[in-house]
């Protein structure tokens, strides 16, 4: 009998047909067949797995719902996929402590709904929020449109329950925003993509649920006119809870081939702006905003009800899948530049002559630069274009990933472009926390 079948507290998959779905995530990459997929149901399974990984020399690859964009959960080399979808635990909201605890297996949709049911808000909203698992969002430090105002997943984590290389689950952090007894190991694990141990649960910070939304469609005739707007708005004290955009090429594709709601989208390029503070639908607020927008306000549309708001967001949320369907071999990046450097970024992109279309999170400078014809490019040419793109972002004080992480997809570029001191420190931490390199080997570093 296969030794994995003897694991306690676990479901084990061995059949190649059952393993096949685990070779993919939402990136353009594929993994290799793992030795097994293990779905742990309790700490004994993890203890045993860690001990075997060490003595038999295989890697442990964590997996949430497989919605990652960077190949971080794909098996490589001799490895076992540890799928946390059946990890036990319940979502528990603590109104008095303004927090919530949940297992890694909890769907993010349910985490957000549990908070909302009690009048609270858990803001992180990656595009996959309706299908991803909390554990994956913690491991990748996921972000989405709301990050513009509310920050990334890490800004909402108070405590982390993590499996370390001793095979035990430890808790780092407490149920309070104040905790300062030494450097924060929990935060080191958030966004670590499974390199230092596996996150099995967390305690998350909540905030009162916003109840008022001003959702605006801002079409522009010259799309460059959008580029200074995030900086101008923030500089004037307006902080949108989301500021998204479609460049002319993406907007034209959506209008020509997208769903019904996309056919009527106005403008040469289009921004979606949302505010969620109290008073944001009041006349003084909107008048102040119109003043600030000046001539850009011509054509501004304000969503009049929740249905219209949902329609706008539905189009934005399906853009990635829509483009993927039309250009199956496209490569999509997620660089960031500070919002004050957006104009320079696009001038630089034009100068490089990279055939790319762009949409994404203009408000925080996180841009999804899509190379739609990547499938037809020579691999070396594509690699060069991506390196040029990353270098451009770095030269403007930005970075090569805003929300999707490094995983396998950006590993080579990360190793080439990161500050050597950062790489040295990360490798030293990896060596200290995982001396036998069992946790997600071959990713990021
Ligand atoms: C989004 O903002 C997601 O729509 C996906 O982060 C972006 O496909 C992409 O690159
Ligand atoms: Zn995004």
């Amino acid at each position: 009998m296969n030794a994995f079948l003897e694991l306690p507290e676990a479901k084990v998959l061995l059949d190649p047909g059952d393993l096949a779905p685990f070779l993919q995530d939402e990136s353009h990459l594929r993994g290799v067949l793992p030795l097994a997929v293990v779905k742990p149901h309790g700490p004994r399974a993890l203890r045993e797995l860690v001990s075997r990984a060490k003595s038999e020399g295989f890697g442990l690859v964590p997996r949430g719902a497989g919605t990652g964009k960077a190949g971080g959960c794909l098996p490589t080399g001799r490895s076992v996929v540890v799928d946390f979808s059946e990890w036990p635990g319940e979502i528990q909201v603590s109104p008095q402590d303004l927090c919530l605890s949940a297992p890694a297996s909890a769907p993010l949709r349910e985490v957000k709904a549990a908070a909302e049911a009690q009048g609270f808000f858990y803001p992180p909203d990656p595009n996959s929020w309706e299908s991803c698992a909390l554990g994956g969002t913690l491991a990748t430090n996921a972000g989405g449109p709301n990050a513009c105002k509310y920050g990334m997943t890490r800004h909402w984590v108070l405590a982390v329950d993590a499996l370390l290389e001793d095979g035990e689950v430890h808790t780092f952090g407490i149920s309070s925003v104040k905790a300062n007894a030494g450097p924060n190991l929990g935060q080191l694990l958030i966004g670590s993509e499974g390199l230092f141990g596996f996150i099995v649960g967390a305690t998350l910070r909540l905030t009162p649920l916003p109840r008022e939304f001003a959702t605006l469609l801002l079409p522009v005739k010259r799309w460059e006119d959008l580029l200074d707007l995030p900086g101008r708005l923030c500089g004037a004290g307006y902080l949108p809870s989301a500021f998204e955009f479609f460049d002319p090429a993406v907007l034209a594709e959506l209008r020509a081939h997208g769903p019904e709601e996309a056919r009527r989208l106005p403008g040469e390029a289009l921004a979606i702006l949302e505010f969620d503070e109290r008073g944001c639908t009041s006349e003084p607020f909107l008048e102040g905003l119109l003043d600030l927008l000046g001539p850009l306000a011509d054509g501004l549309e304000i969503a009049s009800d929740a249905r219209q708001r949902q329609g706008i967001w539905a189009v934005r949320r399906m853009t990635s899948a829509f483009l993927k369907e039309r250009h199956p071999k496209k490569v999509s990046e997620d660089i960031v530049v500070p919002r004050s450097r957006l104009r320079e970024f696009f001038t630089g992109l034009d100068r490089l002559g990279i055939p790319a279309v762009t949409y994404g999170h203009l408000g925080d400078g996180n841009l999804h630069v899509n190379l739609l014809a990547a499938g037809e490019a020579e691999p070396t040419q594509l690699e060069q274009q991506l390196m040029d793109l990353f270098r451009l972002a770095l030269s403007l004080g930005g970075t090569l990933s805003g929300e999707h992480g490094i995983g396998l997809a950006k590993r080579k570029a990360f190793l080439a472009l990161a500050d050597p001191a950062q790489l040295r420190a990360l490798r030293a931490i990896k060596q200290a926390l995982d001396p036998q390199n069992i946790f997600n080997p071959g990713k990021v570093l």
Side-chain angles (χ1 to χ4, degrees), residues 114-422:
E116 237 178 277
Q118 303 211 30
F120 298 109
F121 183 37
Y122 178 66
D125 63 341
N127 200 43
S128 56
W129 74 272
E130 289 186 275
S131 51
C132 68
L134 175 66
T137 68
L138 297 164
T140 58
N141 184 31
N146 273 334
C148 180
K149 174 172 177 180
Y150 293 100
M152 307 279 289
T153 295
R154 72 163 68 259
H155 299 112
W156 296 89
V157 177
L158 296 175
V160 173
D161 307 318
L163 166 78
L164 297 188
E165 69 84 47
D166 60 359
E168 303 298 330
V169 172
H170 302 267
T171 297
F172 303 112
I174 63 167
S175 301
S176 170
V177 287
K178 284 206 150 173
N180 216 15
N184 192 325
L185 277 182
Q187 284 292 334
L188 179 68
L189 292 160
I190 303 299
S192 68
E193 303 190 43
L195 288 189
F196 306 137
F198 293 167
I199 297 171
V200 302
T203 302
L204 308 168
R205 188 160 70 87
L206 303 176
T207 191
L209 191 63
R211 298 192 184 270
E212 195 174 340
F213 299 97
T215 308
L216 318 171
L217 274 185
L218 180 64
V220 290
K221 294 204 186 79
R222 296 181 336 128
W223 97 270
E224 299 82 12
D225 289 347
L226 282 179
L227 301 181
D228 299 327
L229 195 55
R232 273 213 294 136
L233 279 180
C234 291
Y238 286 89
L239 181 55
S241 48
F243 187 155
E244 303 285 302
F245 85 113
F246 303 123
D247 82 356
V250 175
L251 183 59
E253 280 231 18
L254 277 168
R255 210 157 27 212
H257 308 285
E260 196 55 40
E261 308 91 299
R263 308 267 161 141
R264 56 160 289 277
L265 291 177
E268 192 214 32
L270 183 68
I272 302 169
L273 274 152
E274 188 159 277
F275 295 88
D276 68 356
E277 65 254 44
R278 195 172 294 177
C280 67
T281 53
S282 70
E283 246 171 53
F285 182 92
L286 291 172
E287 267 165 21
L289 189 63
L290 289 182
D291 273 357
L292 196 79
L293 291 173
L296 278 186
D298 294 350
L300 184 80
E301 290 179 26
I302 303 181
S304 54
D305 56 25
R307 212 175 54 88
Q308 223 181 342
R309 175 179 178 237
Q310 270 162 17
I312 293 171
W313 278 110
V315 174
R316 169 60 187 89
R317 292 282 180 189
M318 54 70 73
T319 305
S320 167
F322 162 78
L323 287 177
K324 182 94 189 155
E325 208 178 297
R326 293 198 31 88
H327 308 274
K329 296 203 169 140
K330 80 172 176 117
V331 168
S332 174
E333 287 303 336
D334 92 305
I335 60 95
V336 184
V337 293
R339 59 172 83 84
S340 57
R341 315 289 299 266
L342 284 165
R343 191 174 283 278
E344 286 167 86
F345 173 78
F346 282 102
T347 309
L349 196 60
D350 273 355
R351 200 177 309 122
L352 287 171
I354 298 175
V357 303
T358 311
Y359 67 98
H361 318 287
L362 198 68
D364 49 34
N366 180 200
L367 309 173
H368 296 310
V369 179
N370 275 243
L371 282 72
L372 299 182
E376 283 103 66
E378 285 286 316
T380 50
Q381 189 197 9
L382 177 63
E383 200 172 306
Q384 188 56 50
Q385 287 174 338
L386 294 179
M387 286 304 270
D388 287 347
L389 171 68
F390 297 149
R391 285 207 170 90
L392 173 62
L394 289 165
S395 74
L396 296 171
T399 183
L400 64 167
S401 173
E403 49 181 23
H404 299 163
I406 301 297
L408 274 182
K410 281 193 263 264
R411 179 170 181 254
K412 202 166 160 198
F414 176 65
L415 294 177
L417 298 174
D419 182 333
Q422 183 190 2

